Amino acid sequence: MGSIAPEDDSLRVAIIGGGIVGLVLAAGLARRQVNVRLFEQAQGFREVGAGIAFNATAIRSMELIDPGVIGALRLAGAVPLSAADEDDPNDYLRWIDGYNQRDPDNPYSQKFYYKACAGYRGFEGVRRDQFLEELVKLFPPGVIQCGKRLENIEQRGSDDKMLLSFRDGTTFEADAVIGCDGIKSSTREFVIGKDSPAGEPSYTHINSYRTLIPMDKAIGVLGEYKARIFHNHIGPRANLLHYPVAESTMVNVTAFVHDPDDWPAGKPTTLMGSRDDVRAAFRDWNPAVRDLVDLFPDQLHMWAVFDLWEYPLPFYNRGRVCLAGDAAHATSPHHGAGAGMGIEDALCLSVLMGEVLASTRRDRAARGAALTTAFDVYDKVRRTRSQWLVNSSRRMCDLHHQDDWANPAKWLKAETCFEEVKDRSHKIWYYDIAGMVMDTIETFGKAADGRVQDAVLAKDVSAKDVSAMDVSVKDVLAKDESINSLAINSLVAAVSEIRVDS
Amino acid sequence: MGSIAPEDDSLRVAIIGGGIVGLVLAAGLARRQVNVRLFEQAQGFREVGAGIAFNATAIRSMELIDPGVIGALRLAGAVPLSAADEDDPNDYLRWIDGYNQRDPDNPYSQKFYYKACAGYRGFEGVRRDQFLEELVKLFPPGVIQCGKRLENIEQRGSDDKMLLSFRDGTTFEADAVIGCDGIKSSTREFVIGKDSPAGEPSYTHINSYRTLIPMDKAIGVLGEYKARIFHNHIGPRANLLHYPVAESTMVNVTAFVHDPDDWPAGKPTTLMGSRDDVRAAFRDWNPAVRDLVDLFPDQLHMWAVFDLWEYPLPFYNRGRVCLAGDAAHATSPHHGAGAGMGIEDALCLSVLMGEVLASTRRDRAARGAALTTAFDVYDKVRRTRSQWLVNSSRRMCDLHHQDDWANPAKWLKAETCFEEVKDRSHKIWYYDIAGMVMDTIETFGKAADGRVQDAVLAKDVSAKDVSAMDVSVKDVLAKDESINSLAINSLVAAVSEIRVDS
């Protein structure tokens, strides 16, 4: 690596972490003429074979980030989760009773509880490893650097660049740094400080087991209908869900099991578990669930689920460093929306880096301030929603795992949860992502002009200021409407350009 | 009383219970030419002097029920809760830190947490006793009968009427009966059966203390701004809220205090409590809250808060008897929306009784079946939302009473709750009440035609069928569009008529 030739005046952005969010963000920045470099600490992109699902907002965000990302998703074999009904092309999540055997004549019968409509191609499932593999192919050689473990970030005095140091002794200079390095983020301490209690991961008291099962075997135990579409089997203190991936040749199955104990400090959070552990957890469940567990491999990975619920971040940025995805707001997976929330972040950041480039084209010296402003806007636009997700996912788990599912006197009560399940799901799936892009552009435009910078973006580093996030961007904009039509035109142009390209 | 002369072929509806919901429903039915009679077990309408607030959906429902109800509300001295800002006529609920003294130099300072906008005149506060008094004035003599404690409801064989018997030995014949008789409803057993576990009230482990304080005294301790507008002072295991009533001459104050113990069976749920009890509960709180408590009277009522959360009803109707308001879905008061939800019920029932009259004008013999269908539609339209409120109010209390408010390491986490607080509040305040009226009319029209009756309204009395409630009325209508334009025209006509009248 080494330093950059002085004549290189491209906008250089370093991304730390080569997970899905980092790669998707890199694609979005590259597409907007940013000189992007991605640093991954591992030696390569090896993933445990397991599925991941993307909701409609995440998919729409990918389209706006870079249609190439959608291409990668589809090349990786993504399929709609649950559009099994020929009369209805929409995707649904379906919740069914995984626990009880209510019908003595047919112990395999499972009560249908609820379905929530995610819209047309409103949820797509894919193998995580295959998606990563296709994403990596989007980049020319040199953009992605593996084996780079971040050690330090410092601001160089003279030319205002950020200097990254890696454990292998190399360095890299960038105009800005975005940490997409997950719940155990190394970048985070450069944003919130080494001694901040924020960002300490919390054990959610949930362990998850994931595996892929060939579709024909899944059909053998679940039947064609259940096997081919998303079902979430719920019951007391556990749930098990599955959906098709890999062009529907495989079913991705995840079991979530409550653990009343604490997780010992220092114990690895990913371990090898066994099918017998899963069998024990679902011992009293409906035989349909037990039969599916019997198809699990003898040994499989177990993840202890951690999140940032207890110690959220007071802000996602400092100067020209910011955090996205799990590094900023690691969530438990009960909405199936963790990566999708990071992809929304990536869209916001892609738009902002494009705005930074456009607004400083004739004044390169202003770039540093513009980047700082851009990350302030990012924090403003993204923090409330993404921290809500962390809370909501915990709540979804509580609703899924109610003890009441096992108590006939409480069945009616338990089922009244689904109106809330729907509201929470819809808040994610039907988010106005174009509205977010508009807010981002407008807020950046006004802040960059310095007109409302003090009012909107004042940040109280002592973390007293979470309440400021309830001043919505629209509230601020309502006070100064002169910029709106200009910004809206800019948005329309930006979105049109992207869509024409696709 | 006694029986009705055979030539009287008006639609006779008996309402059981003369609380706010019963009286508002009576106004709505009377306005639609229903021959309504309201039976109240007490000897008169005496209310403890305390405030009640109505959100925008409730107020809009009142307008659609009968503009006279709005007249009664305003005559009773209703005022916007919190439109204190001259630059902004909207009402807001405001949450502030009631517990901590964060500023050593000014222990009275209270951190502002959040405000949620309820819209223009989006919340109005009134004295409950004054509102009831004005509502009663809407009716000619004879409509409201006090001292009538319901003992029995039975269907008479010959003429298909419902026969009500009261403890005073009198009887009354009606075509239909609507129980608005509160959480301890006597009507309920005629709907869900004597032996059903549903409808058993649960103790929410919250005790509430209410009082009215003269505005000048409240200003003395809170200052002009806080005293004149709605504030909810929150903290660990308790909260205290206040808002103006009685043309802003009084402040209604309510304190909610967590009680870890169970409530002994048979113990009265309304008791005399003392100011010292309240003082003890708020002993460690911000001095602004303690000073306000000092203004409470020595002795004041304490209500143990019960709801129907644990044992919700499987349905709200049977034949020509149905339940509305607390009798159907008694909720804790943490959304300030319990009575409002009953007023939404009253709108739905008013519209339906109007439809019954209109659709059976040329076929009086069909009235019995039409009433049964109307109550089936009522159950379909109202149950999911109103049971959601019961759950949501419990959740709001949990969010208000977090222990984390007292733990500086958890302040950031605690404050991330407000996105959820906003979502839950908006679901109530910004409900599409005209859409509910449309659903009601359309579903009744189709069901009365018998075209979808079996599919939509089949009811599983064994209470297995709560999941059916997720089949939305719109889903059903989407399958048969021929009726839509007709029904929409009917709605438009109905709403226009009401609005012109007002």
Side-chain angles (χ1 to χ4, degrees):
Chain A
M1 308 306 303
S3 59
I4 308 156
E7 65 270 30
D8 176 8
D9 64 355
S10 64
L11 177 63
R12 293 175 71 101
V13 175
I15 294 172
I16 310 298
I20 287 171
V21 173
L23 287 164
V24 168
L25 174 60
L29 298 189
R31 189 157 182 281
R32 284 162 182 82
Q33 320 304 327
V34 173
N35 186 348
V36 64
R37 203 69 58 92
L38 185 150
F39 300 97
E40 164 59 36
Q41 66 178 9
Q43 291 299 335
F45 290 87
R46 288 295 299 278
E47 263 283 339
V48 175
I52 186 167
F54 294 100
N55 60 61
T57 302
I59 295 167
R60 183 84 185 88
S61 296
M62 290 178 197
E63 285 173 359
L64 294 172
I65 288 167
D66 181 359
V69 173
I70 294 287
L73 183 70
R74 300 281 157 75
L75 283 168
V79 286
L81 286 195
S82 51
D85 186 342
E86 287 183 5
D87 296 335
D88 185 347
N90 294 307
D91 280 297
Y92 293 86
L93 297 198
R94 286 162 207 267
W95 286 264
I96 60 177
D97 183 356
Y99 185 75
N100 294 288
Q101 297 98 58
R102 301 190 191 195
D103 180 355
D105 296 331
N106 178 11
Y108 279 83
S109 77
Q110 296 183 269
K111 185 179 179 195
F112 167 77
Y113 281 144
Y114 196 74
K115 65 176 181 177
C117 180
Y120 175 64
R121 285 198 90 105
F123 241 118
E124 298 192 34
V126 66
R127 281 180 63 149
R128 195 183 276 264
D129 53 353
Q130 292 180 336
F131 185 36
L132 274 177
E133 196 173 293
E134 293 297 333
L135 283 173
V136 169
K137 290 181 190 165
L138 294 175
F139 302 96
V143 170
I144 298 172
Q145 307 272 332
C146 288
K148 295 287 178 185
R149 183 182 293 267
L150 181 70
E151 286 218 319
N152 196 28
I153 303 174
E154 58 184 325
Q155 185 146 8
R156 271 177 46 162
S158 60
D159 59 359
D160 217 26
K161 298 269 183 196
M162 310 301 295
L163 181 66
L164 285 74
S165 313
F166 299 97
R167 186 168 295 179
D168 65 2
T170 60
T171 60
F172 184 75
E173 277 185 354
D175 295 292
V177 183
I178 303 175
C180 302
D181 44 355
I183 188 170
K184 296 174 185 168
S185 171
S186 304
T187 317
R188 195 155 57 218
E189 71 178 59
F190 301 103
V191 171
I192 59 170
K194 274 194 206 311
D195 300 323
S196 171
E200 174 75 21
S202 315
Y203 183 42
T204 67
H205 293 275
I206 294 293
N207 295 325
S208 96
Y209 299 84
R210 291 154 205 255
T211 193
L212 293 169
I213 291 176
M215 179 61 77
D216 57 345
K217 291 197 172 178
I219 290 173
V221 300
L222 291 174
E224 187 89 23
Y225 182 83
K226 275 186 206 165
R228 287 199 179 278
I229 66 182
F230 179 100
H231 277 91
N232 196 342
H233 306 251
I234 61 178
R237 296 176 301 287
N239 67 308
L240 181 147
L241 60 86
H242 53 78
Y243 53 85
V245 294
E247 300 289 5
S248 289
T249 60
M250 308 286 279
V251 175
N252 179 66
V253 186
T254 307
F256 294 107
V257 177
H258 180 74
D259 169 17
D261 298 325
D262 291 331
W263 195 261
K267 183 176 176 182
T269 59
T270 306
L271 300 167
M272 284 309 289
S274 76
R275 179 176 53 204
D276 285 342
D277 298 339
V278 188
R279 275 185 175 140
F282 291 94
R283 188 182 50 225
D284 301 323
W285 284 51
N286 187 289
V289 172
R290 301 200 312 259
D291 289 355
L292 189 63
V293 171
D294 285 342
L295 296 180
F296 280 31
D298 289 353
Q299 298 286 311
L300 74 171
H301 279 93
M302 191 213 59
W303 284 264
V305 178
F306 281 72
D307 67 9
L308 297 184
W309 178 65
E310 286 195 75
Y311 299 101
L313 306 195
F315 39 80
Y316 290 173
N317 66 307
R318 180 189 297 269
R320 288 191 274 141
V321 184
C322 80
L323 305 169
D326 283 358
H329 46 73
T331 178
S332 55
H334 306 289
H335 271 297
M341 195 58 54
I343 287 168
E344 293 179 26
D345 292 345
L347 172 59
C348 182
L349 287 166
S350 296
V351 167
L352 282 166
M353 294 302 102
E355 293 297 297
V356 166
L357 268 178
S359 66
T360 59
R361 192 152 291 168
R362 292 182 195 82
D363 181 12
R364 302 290 162 99
R367 209 176 253 172
L371 285 164
T372 300
T373 297
F375 287 165
D376 279 342
V377 171
Y378 163 74
D379 175 67
K380 191 91 196 152
V381 170
R382 296 299 307 159
R383 184 152 41 87
T384 300
R385 174 170 166 83
S386 52
Q387 291 185 338
W388 168 86
L389 177 70
V390 178
N391 297 356
S392 190
S393 182
R394 286 266 189 154
R395 173 75 171 174
M396 284 286 275
C397 186
D398 291 345
L399 297 176
H400 287 157
H401 289 193
Q402 292 177 77
D403 282 328
D404 294 340
W405 299 120
N407 177 356
K410 294 293 186 71
W411 282 347
L412 266 174
K413 170 192 174 268
E415 289 192 39
T416 62
C417 79
F418 286 111
E419 181 72 2
E420 175 171 348
V421 165
K422 180 196 75 180
D423 289 342
R424 292 183 177 279
S425 301
H426 282 196
K427 183 176 170 99
I428 300 168
W429 305 345
Y430 296 107
Y431 181 55
D432 177 9
I433 195 74
M436 183 200 80
V437 170
M438 186 173 86
D439 276 354
T440 301
I441 293 172
E442 288 184 351
T443 309
F444 176 79
K446 299 181 80 175
D449 286 354
R451 281 192 275 171
V452 293
Q453 194 156 6
D454 294 344
V456 187
L457 299 166
K459 174 167 293 164
D460 180 345
V461 178
S462 68
K464 283 186 189 164
D465 212 13
V466 173
S467 71
M469 72 195 183
D470 60 56
V471 180
S472 90
V473 169
K474 281 179 185 159
D475 288 345
V476 173
L477 291 170
K479 293 187 182 149
D480 182 351
E481 296 190 0
S482 60
I483 198 74
N484 283 9
S485 58
L486 188 67
I488 290 166
N489 290 342
S490 157
L491 167 72
V492 169
V495 172
S496 307
E497 185 200 352
I498 289 167
R499 304 218 63 185
V500 167
D501 285 357
S502 72
Chain B
M1 310 303 302
S3 59
I4 308 156
E7 63 271 29
D8 177 9
D9 64 354
S10 65
L11 176 64
R12 294 174 71 100
V13 175
I15 295 172
I16 309 299
I20 287 171
V21 174
L23 286 164
V24 168
L25 174 60
L29 299 189
R31 187 157 185 281
R32 285 162 183 81
Q33 320 305 326
V34 174
N35 186 348
V36 63
R37 203 71 56 94
L38 185 150
F39 301 97
E40 164 58 36
Q41 65 177 13
Q43 291 298 336
F45 291 87
R46 289 294 301 276
E47 264 282 339
V48 175
I52 186 168
F54 295 99
N55 60 61
T57 302
I59 295 168
R60 182 86 185 89
S61 297
M62 291 179 197
E63 285 173 358
L64 294 171
I65 288 167
D66 180 359
V69 173
I70 294 287
L73 183 70
R74 300 280 157 76
L75 284 169
V79 285
L81 285 194
S82 50
D85 186 342
E86 287 182 5
D87 297 335
D88 184 348
N90 293 307
D91 280 296
Y92 293 86
L93 296 199
R94 287 162 207 266
W95 287 262
I96 60 177
D97 183 354
Y99 185 76
N100 295 288
Q101 298 99 56
R102 301 191 191 195
D103 180 356
D105 296 331
N106 178 12
Y108 278 83
S109 76
Q110 295 184 271
K111 186 180 178 192
F112 167 77
Y113 281 143
Y114 196 73
K115 65 175 180 177
C117 180
Y120 175 63
R121 285 198 90 104
F123 241 116
E124 299 192 33
V126 67
R127 280 180 65 149
R128 196 184 276 263
D129 52 354
Q130 292 180 337
F131 185 35
L132 274 177
E133 196 174 295
E134 293 298 333
L135 284 172
V136 170
K137 291 182 190 164
L138 295 175
F139 302 96
V143 171
I144 298 172
Q145 307 273 331
C146 288
K148 295 287 178 187
R149 185 181 293 267
L150 182 70
E151 286 218 320
N152 196 28
I153 303 174
E154 59 184 325
Q155 186 146 7
R156 272 176 47 161
S158 59
D159 60 358
D160 216 27
K161 298 267 183 196
M162 310 302 293
L163 182 66
L164 286 72
S165 314
F166 299 97
R167 186 167 297 178
D168 65 1
T170 60
T171 61
F172 184 75
E173 278 185 352
D175 295 292
V177 183
I178 303 175
C180 302
D181 44 354
I183 187 169
K184 297 173 186 167
S185 170
S186 305
T187 317
R188 196 156 56 218
E189 71 178 57
F190 302 101
V191 172
I192 59 170
K194 276 194 205 310
D195 301 323
S196 171
E200 173 75 20
S202 315
Y203 182 43
T204 67
H205 293 275
I206 295 293
N207 295 324
S208 97
Y209 300 83
R210 291 155 205 254
T211 193
L212 293 170
I213 292 175
M215 179 61 78
D216 56 345
K217 290 196 173 178
I219 289 173
V221 300
L222 291 174
E224 187 89 22
Y225 183 82
K226 275 187 206 164
R228 287 199 179 279
I229 65 182
F230 179 100
H231 277 91
N232 195 342
H233 305 251
I234 60 177
R237 295 177 301 288
N239 66 307
L240 180 147
L241 60 85
H242 53 77
Y243 54 84
V245 294
E247 301 288 6
S248 288
T249 60
M250 308 285 280
V251 176
N252 179 66
V253 186
T254 308
F256 294 107
V257 177
H258 181 74
D259 169 17
D261 297 326
D262 291 331
W263 195 260
K267 182 177 178 183
T269 59
T270 306
L271 299 167
M272 284 310 289
S274 76
R275 179 176 54 203
D276 285 343
D277 297 341
V278 188
R279 274 183 177 141
F282 292 94
R283 189 181 50 226
D284 301 325
W285 284 51
N286 187 289
V289 173
R290 302 201 311 259
D291 289 353
L292 190 62
V293 172
D294 285 342
L295 297 180
F296 280 30
D298 290 353
Q299 298 286 310
L300 75 171
H301 279 93
M302 190 210 71
W303 285 262
V305 179
F306 281 71
D307 68 7
L308 297 183
W309 178 65
E310 285 194 76
Y311 299 101
L313 305 195
F315 39 80
Y316 290 173
N317 67 307
R318 179 189 298 269
R320 289 191 274 142
V321 185
C322 80
L323 304 169
D326 284 357
H329 45 73
T331 178
S332 56
H334 306 289
H335 272 297
M341 195 59 55
I343 287 168
E344 294 179 25
D345 293 345
L347 173 58
C348 181
L349 287 166
S350 296
V351 167
L352 282 165
M353 292 304 101
E355 293 297 297
V356 166
L357 268 178
S359 66
T360 59
R361 193 152 290 169
R362 293 184 194 80
D363 182 11
R364 300 288 162 100
R367 211 177 252 174
L371 285 165
T372 300
T373 297
F375 288 165
D376 279 342
V377 171
Y378 164 73
D379 175 68
K380 192 88 197 154
V381 170
R382 296 297 308 157
R383 184 152 42 86
T384 300
R385 175 170 166 83
S386 52
Q387 292 185 337
W388 168 86
L389 177 70
V390 179
N391 297 355
S392 190
S393 182
R394 286 267 189 154
R395 173 74 171 176
M396 285 287 275
C397 186
D398 291 344
L399 298 176
H400 287 155
H401 289 192
Q402 294 178 75
D403 282 329
D404 293 340
W405 300 120
N407 178 356
K410 294 293 186 71
W411 281 347
L412 266 175
K413 169 191 175 267
E415 289 192 41
T416 62
C417 79
F418 286 110
E419 180 73 0
E420 175 172 347
V421 165
K422 180 196 75 181
D423 289 342
R424 292 184 177 278
S425 300
H426 282 196
K427 182 175 170 98
I428 300 168
W429 305 344
Y430 296 107
Y431 181 55
D432 178 8
I433 195 73
M436 183 201 79
V437 171
M438 186 173 84
D439 277 353
T440 301
I441 293 172
E442 288 184 351
T443 309
F444 177 79
K446 300 182 79 174
D449 287 353
R451 280 191 275 170
V452 293
Q453 195 158 4
D454 293 344
V456 187
L457 300 167
K459 173 166 293 163
D460 180 344
V461 178
S462 67
K464 283 187 186 160
D465 212 12
V466 173
S467 71
M469 72 194 184
D470 59 56
V471 181
S472 90
V473 169
K474 280 179 184 156
D475 289 345
V476 173
L477 290 170
K479 291 187 182 146
D480 182 352
E481 296 191 0
S482 60
I483 197 74
N484 283 8
S485 58
L486 188 67
I488 289 166
N489 290 341
S490 158
L491 167 71
V492 169
V495 172
S496 306
E497 185 199 352
I498 289 166
R499 303 215 65 183
V500 167
D501 284 356
S502 72

